[in-house]
C-alpha cells in the first residue's frame, strides 16, 4: 500500500505524541477484518453471537458513562468565536490544542495505534473526501470498516495529495469530565479523546461528514445535510428522488427503508434506499440538485426497530453486524425494547447484568445501536454508490408535533422552503434527555451538526437555491398529529407512502392541491385512503391549518431567529413576515 509523505509525516508526529507500543496500518482486507475481530473477541471488546441465528454478528458493551453523543463536550474551534455561532460550543484553536496535547501525550502507552485511511463517498465522486483516523480502539476500527470505504481504496483516491481530514482518537481514560470532541474546520482536523461511542469516535460520521463537511460545503458551494435519500418508483415506472431531514424519533430510518403497503406494492409502488442519515448535495450542470450518500453502512438505533416498523432494517442487521449496548438472550441472540419477540428469562442487560422480564430498568440502553453494511439492505438502490449521486426532486422536513402542523404541505418556492426547514422543531420523547413533550428547535435537523454559524448556513441555503434553475420542491411532513384522545390520527410506517405518492405527483408537476397560508395542501382525493384505515373526516383533521396556533409559531420563530443576531439573512426575515401576514388575513 503506497502512502504519501503528508500522511506518513502526520502519523509519525501523532505517534510521537501518543507513544503507542505498536503501529498497525489498516488495509481494509477481509483477512485483516478476521484477524482484528479475533483480537477484539480475545480482549473482550466483542462478544460473538449465535453463529446460526446471527452469522458474523458481535455484541459490544461500552462504558456506562459513554453511551451517546456528548454535545457539551463537542467543540468547533475557529479563530473567531462568532464564526462558530451560538449553535456550537467554541474553543480558541490554540487553547484547544494545548488541552488536547496534554491529554493525548502518552495516551496510547501499552496500546496499539491503528492507522485507518477511509473514503467518504464513492471512489471518483466529485464530492468524495479522504480521511485518516488514528485510534487505539479495535471497536472503532471494525466499525469504521463498515461505515466507510476503508483501507487501500482511500489511499488510492488520495494519492500524493495532502488534502485529507486528520482524525485523531483515543479512548484515553474514558474520563467523562475530560472528554473532548474538537473540530478544527479551518485546518480540516478532528481530535477526540475519552470516548469510544460511535458519534464521538467514528470520526468519519458526524464529525467529518456533517460538521466539517458543512463548513467545507459553505466554502465550496455545496451542502452537507443530516438527510436520508430514497427513490420512489410509481406504477408507471417513474422514479422520484427525495431527501428528508428528520430530528430524532421522527421516523427518518423507517422512511429511508419504507416497505409499501400491500395494495400499493401490488399496484407497482417501490421504495429504494440510497442513504438513511447523511446526504452531500451539489448543484449540477443541469440546474438540478444532486445528492450522494457519503457513508458505506448504517449506524441505527435498535430500540423500536422490528418487523412491523422496519422489516428492511431487520433483514439488514441479521448478519455481519456489530450491536452495541443491547440485551443478550441465553441463546446468544440480542433483544431490545420494541423487538418482535417477547423478552425471556435469563437475559443479560446492556451492562451484562442479569435481567428479568418486568424489571423496572430497561434491558437495552435507549440509545443502543447496530452497525451494518449498507450492501445488506434488501431495498438498496442500484444508484446508491454512483459517483455523481442522484438528481433530487423533493426535500422533506419532518417533525413530531401533536397539534398545529398538518400531515403534509408544500412550500411556495425554494426561499419559502428554506423557512420551512429553519422552523423545524419537534416535541421531545422519552428517548431524549430532559422533559417529555417540550418543543425543541432543530432547524433542518442540523442544529447539533452544523460546523459554523447557523445564520450563515441559512444564507448558504438561499445562495444554493439561487444557483438552481430546476430546484427541488420542499415539503413539511408530520406523521404524529393526535386527536382529542391523544392517539395518533395517522397510522404511519408503510402507510406514509400514501402521502409520499402525493409528493411524487407534485414533483412531476401534477397532483391536486388546496391553498393555505402556509403552503399548498393536498386537495380533495389527492391522498388515496383505500386500505389505510383512515376516513375522510380524519384526513380533513390531519390537514387542518388553524391560523391561531400558527401565529404563535411565527412569534416563537421570531424570538428564535433573533438569537442568531444580525447575521440572519434578510430574505429569511421577509419570508417569516410574509407568513405572518398571510396568517393574520386568514380567519380561524
Amino acid at each position: 500500500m503506497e502512502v504519501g509523505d503528508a500522511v506518513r509525516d502526520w502519523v509519525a508526529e501523532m505517534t510521537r505524541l501518543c507513544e503507542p507500543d505498536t503501529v498497525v496500518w489498516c488495509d481494509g482486507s477481509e483477512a485483516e477484518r478476521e484477524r482484528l475481530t479475533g483480537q477484539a473477541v480475545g480482549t473482550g471488546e466483542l462478544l460473538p453471537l449465535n453463529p446460526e441465528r446471527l452469522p458474523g454478528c458481535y455484541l459490544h458493551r461500552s462504558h456506562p458513562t459513554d453511551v451517546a453523543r456528548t454535545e457539551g463536550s463537542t467543540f468547533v474551534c475557529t479563530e473567531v468565536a462568532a464564526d462558530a455561532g451560538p449553535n456550537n460550543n467554541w474553543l480558541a484553536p490554540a487553547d484547544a490544542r494545548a488541552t488536547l496535547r496534554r491529554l493525548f501525550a502518552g495516551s496510547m502507552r501499552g496500546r496499539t495505534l491503528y492507522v485507518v485511511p477511509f473514503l467518504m463517498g464513492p471512489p471518483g465522486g466529485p464530492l468524495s473526501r479522504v480521511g485518516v483516523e488514528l485510534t487505539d480502539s479495535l471497536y472503532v476500527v471494525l466499525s469504521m470498516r463498515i461505515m466507510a470505504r476503508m483501507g487501500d481504496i482511500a489511499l488510492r483516491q488520495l494519492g500524493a495529495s495532502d488534502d485529507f481530514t486528520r482524525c485523531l482518537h483515543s479512548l484515553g481514560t474514558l474520563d467523562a469530565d475530560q472528554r473532548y470532541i474538537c473540530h478544527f474546520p479551518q485546518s480540516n482536523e478532528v481530535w477526540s479523546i475519552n470516548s469510544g461511542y460511535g458519534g464521538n469516535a467514528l470520526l468519519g460520521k458526524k464529525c467529518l461528514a456533517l460538521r466539517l463537511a458543512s463548513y467545507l460545503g459553505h466554502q465550496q458551494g455545496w451542502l452537507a445535510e443530516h438527510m436520508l435519500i430514497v427513490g420512489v418508483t410509481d406504477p408507471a415506472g417513474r422514479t422520484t428522488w427525495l431527501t428528508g431531514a428528520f430530528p430524532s424519533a421522527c421516523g427518518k430510518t423507517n422512511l429511508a427503508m419504507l416497505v409499501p403497503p400491500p395494495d400499493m406494492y401490488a399496484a407497482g409502488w417501490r421504495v429504494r434506499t440510497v442513504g438513511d442519515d447523511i446526504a452531500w448535495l451539489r448543484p449540477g450542470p443541469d440546474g438540478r440538485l444532486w445528492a450522494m450518500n457519503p457513508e458505506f453502512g448504517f449506524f441505527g438505533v435498535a430500540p423500536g426497530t422490528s418487523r412491523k416498523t422496519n422489516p428492511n432494517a431487520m433483514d439488514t442487521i441479521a448478519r455481519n453486524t456489530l450491536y452495541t449496548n443491547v440485551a443478550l438472550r441465553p441463546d446468544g441472540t440480542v433483544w431490545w425494547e420494541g423487538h418482535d419477540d417477547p423478552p425471556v428469562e435469563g437475559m443479560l442487560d446492556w451492562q451484562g447484568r442479569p435481567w428479568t422480564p418486568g424489571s423496572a430498568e430497561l434491558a437495552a440502553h435507549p440509545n443502543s445501536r447496530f452497525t451494518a453494511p449498507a450492501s445488506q439492505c434488501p431495498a438498496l438502490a442500484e444508484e446508491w454508490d454512483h459517483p455523481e449521486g442522484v438528481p433530487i426532486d423533493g426535500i422533506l422536513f419532518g417533525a413530531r408535533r401533536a397539534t398545529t402542523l398538518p400531515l403534509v404541505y408544500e412550500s411556495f418556492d425554494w426561499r419559502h422552503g428554506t423557512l420551512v426547514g429553519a422552523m423545524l422543531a419537534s416535541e421531545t420523547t422519552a428517548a431524549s434527555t430532559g422533559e417529555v413533550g417540550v418543543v425543541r428547535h432543530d432547524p433542518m435537523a442540523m442544529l447539533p451538526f452544523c460546523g459554523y454559524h447557523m445564520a450563515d448556513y441559512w444564507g448558504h441555503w438561499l445562495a444554493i437555491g439561487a444557483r438552481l434553475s430546476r430546484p427541488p420542491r420542499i415539503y413539511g411532513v408530520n406523521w404524529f398529529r393526535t386527536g382529542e384522545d391523544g392517539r395518533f390520527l395517522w397510522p404511519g410506517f408503510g402507510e406514509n407512502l400514501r402521502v409520499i405518492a402525493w409528493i411524487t405527483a407534485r414533483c412531476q408537476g401534477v397532483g391536486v392541491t388546496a391553498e393555505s397560508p402556509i403552503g399548498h395542501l393536498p386537495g380533495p382525493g389527492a391522498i388515496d385512503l383505500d386500505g389505510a384505515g383512515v376516513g375522510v373526516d380524519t384526513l380533513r383533521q390531519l390537514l387542518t391549518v388553524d391560523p391561531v396556533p400558527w401565529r404563535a409559531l411565527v412569534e416563537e420563530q421570531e424570538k428564535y431567529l433573533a438569537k442568531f443576531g444580525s447575521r440572519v439573512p434578510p430574505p429569511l426575515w421577509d419570508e417569516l413576515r410574509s407568513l405572518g401576514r398571510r396568517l393574520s388575513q386568514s380567519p380561524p
Side-chain angles (χ1 to χ4, degrees):
M1 152 169 80
E2 293 188 11
V3 180
D5 291 343
V7 174
R8 195 176 297 280
D9 291 348
W10 176 69
V11 171
E13 178 188 353
M14 295 300 101
T15 300
R16 290 191 294 270
L17 174 65
C18 299
E19 301 180 30
D21 285 8
T22 309
V23 176
V24 172
W25 290 74
C26 297
D27 60 18
S29 67
E30 183 63 22
E32 176 183 79
R33 184 196 67 80
E34 293 178 359
R35 183 181 75 253
L36 296 182
T37 299
Q39 292 177 17
V41 170
T43 62
E45 288 180 71
L46 295 182
L47 299 176
L49 297 174
N50 187 315
E52 295 180 355
R53 299 279 302 279
L54 293 170
C57 294
Y58 297 85
L59 171 63
H60 173 73
R61 295 186 179 123
S62 66
H63 191 277
T65 65
D66 188 28
V67 293
R69 283 184 295 105
T70 49
E71 295 302 332
S73 304
T74 301
F75 299 90
V76 170
C77 306
T78 52
E79 294 296 337
V80 178
D83 291 342
N87 45 297
N88 286 304
N89 301 314
W90 177 79
L91 284 176
D95 295 340
R97 291 184 192 281
T99 298
L100 290 165
R101 285 189 170 275
R102 173 178 58 81
L103 293 172
F104 272 100
S107 63
M108 296 187 188
R109 289 175 191 150
R111 304 178 186 177
T112 298
L113 183 155
Y114 298 94
V115 182
V116 183
F118 63 94
L119 175 63
M120 304 303 291
L127 296 183
S128 296
R129 302 285 304 176
V130 173
V132 178
E133 177 162 0
L134 311 184
T135 181
D136 53 12
S137 166
L138 275 171
Y139 169 75
V140 168
V141 175
L142 293 168
S143 297
M144 284 295 291
R145 189 182 189 280
I146 296 173
M147 292 305 300
R149 296 156 175 87
M150 189 264 270
D152 290 352
I153 189 173
L155 292 177
R156 286 196 297 270
Q157 174 92 3
L158 182 63
S161 171
D162 65 353
D163 185 16
F164 65 96
T165 303
R166 291 154 171 82
C167 301
L168 178 62
H169 167 258
S170 174
L171 294 171
T173 62
L174 293 180
D175 182 353
D177 293 330
Q178 293 293 308
R179 184 170 294 158
Y180 288 88
I181 303 95
C182 291
H183 305 72
F184 300 86
Q186 290 157 330
S187 56
N188 198 18
E189 298 174 79
V190 185
W191 294 46
S192 172
I193 192 164
N194 287 322
S195 174
Y197 171 76
N200 302 330
L202 308 184
L203 302 185
K205 190 168 175 61
K206 305 298 190 186
C207 297
L208 190 166
L210 285 180
R211 295 191 187 97
L212 290 187
S214 63
Y215 177 90
L216 187 64
H218 184 227
Q219 305 300 308
Q220 297 181 348
W222 51 278
L223 294 165
E225 296 296 327
H226 192 208
M227 289 180 172
L228 61 86
I229 312 171
V230 294
V232 181
T233 303
D234 63 21
R238 295 169 299 214
T239 297
T240 301
W241 297 101
L242 304 172
T243 60
F246 295 75
S248 176
C250 291
K252 182 180 182 184
T253 302
N254 292 339
L255 179 56
M257 301 184 190
L258 185 146
V259 174
D263 61 315
M264 297 188 75
Y265 186 88
W269 286 93
R270 299 291 185 271
V271 178
R272 293 287 179 260
T273 307
V274 174
D276 76 320
D277 192 45
I278 297 174
W280 288 357
L281 307 103
R282 62 182 177 86
D286 58 354
R288 305 177 74 182
L289 194 63
W290 287 71
M292 68 94 162
N293 172 18
E295 299 190 288
F296 202 53
F298 301 133
F299 181 66
V301 176
T305 305
S306 68
R307 288 282 167 191
K308 176 184 177 182
T309 63
N310 199 332
N312 281 328
M314 293 298 286
D315 287 339
T316 300
I317 63 179
R319 64 190 190 281
N320 304 320
T321 295
L322 298 183
Y323 291 93
T324 304
N325 295 336
V326 296
L328 180 64
R329 292 189 283 202
D331 66 353
T333 60
V334 291
W335 188 88
W336 51 80
E337 281 70 19
H339 198 283
D340 297 286
D341 302 326
V344 298
E345 296 289 343
M347 288 170 45
L348 300 179
D349 74 0
W350 65 276
Q351 297 184 67
R353 305 172 301 185
W355 186 90
T356 301
S359 171
E361 295 189 18
L362 297 174
H365 189 275
N367 195 42
S368 56
R369 295 278 174 162
F370 56 77
T371 310
S375 59
Q376 297 181 176
C377 178
L380 197 65
E382 293 181 3
E383 298 87 347
W384 86 280
D385 61 350
H386 282 193
E388 299 294 324
V390 295
I392 299 303
D393 301 295
I395 297 174
L396 281 59
F397 290 115
R400 174 184 283 266
R401 300 295 291 269
T403 62
T404 311
L405 268 62
L407 178 64
V408 60
Y409 67 102
E410 180 187 321
S411 71
F412 294 119
D413 52 31
W414 179 274
R415 200 169 87 159
H416 177 220
T418 301
L419 176 66
V420 172
M423 291 184 69
L424 193 58
S426 278
E427 293 156 2
T428 55
T429 68
S432 304
T433 57
E435 188 178 353
V436 173
V438 175
V439 175
R440 180 176 58 194
H441 289 274
D442 191 359
M444 278 81 167
M446 276 288 285
L447 190 64
F449 308 118
C450 183
Y452 60 106
H453 198 296
M454 183 62 74
D456 294 347
Y457 166 81
W458 293 325
H460 185 48
W461 260 77
L462 294 170
I464 290 289
R467 293 172 54 191
L468 301 173
S469 59
R470 302 166 63 189
R473 296 174 185 253
I474 298 178
Y475 299 86
V477 297
N478 174 27
W479 317 126
F480 302 97
R481 194 153 172 172
T482 61
E484 294 180 358
D485 59 1
R487 296 183 179 181
F488 293 126
L489 295 172
W490 183 253
F493 305 119
E495 301 297 335
N496 293 340
L497 185 56
R498 302 183 188 278
V499 177
I500 302 299
W502 176 74
I503 290 175
T504 63
R506 292 293 301 150
C507 290
Q508 293 160 13
V510 293
V512 180
T513 64
E515 297 306 307
S516 82
I518 69 167
H520 306 294
L521 298 171
I527 296 179
D528 181 8
L529 299 179
D530 289 345
V534 175
V536 174
D537 289 342
T538 299
L539 181 61
R540 186 178 297 114
Q541 188 176 352
L542 282 162
L543 295 175
T544 295
V545 175
D546 187 341
V548 176
W550 264 95
R551 290 170 196 156
L553 281 186
V554 170
E555 292 177 2
E556 170 60 25
Q557 188 66 19
E558 289 174 346
K559 297 175 183 177
Y560 185 69
L561 289 186
K563 295 180 180 180
F564 295 90
S566 60
R567 294 171 84 142
V568 175
L572 198 64
W573 278 116
D574 293 342
E575 285 295 331
L576 184 61
R577 290 168 182 140
S578 294
L579 174 60
R581 285 193 296 271
R582 293 193 300 271
L583 290 166
S584 66
Q585 296 166 2
S586 180

